[in-house]
Amino acid sequence: MVKLVQYFTNLDHFPLYAKVRGRFFPGEPPVSTVVGVSGLMPSADVLIEVEATAYPARK
């Protein structure tokens, strides 16, 4: 994983999200961008969207 883009409808959720993300990336986390948005698709029930960019491992 080289990059994460996180979209939040409420940036107050970021500290908890960061704690959970730390469990998946206990060392150095990927480059990260956080964006506050007014809403996400497909409904108002969606609070966070995460876009991840990764490169396949070389053989």
Side-chain angles (χ1 to χ4, degrees), residues 21-50:
R21 183 186 65 188
R23 291 182 177 197
F24 288 91
F25 303 103
E28 187 173 334
V31 172
S32 184
T33 301
V34 175
V35 182
V37 297
S38 62
L40 293 166
M41 296 294 286
S43 73
D45 294 331
V46 179
L47 303 176
I48 301 170
E49 179 179 324
V50 179

Side-chain angles (χ1 to χ4, degrees), residues 7-31:
Y7 301 91
F8 287 82
T9 58
N10 181 341
L11 290 171
D12 291 339
H13 295 146
F14 181 76
L16 180 57
Y17 168 83
K19 184 182 253 188
V20 172
R21 183 186 65 188
R23 291 182 177 197
F24 288 91
F25 303 103
E28 187 173 334
V31 172

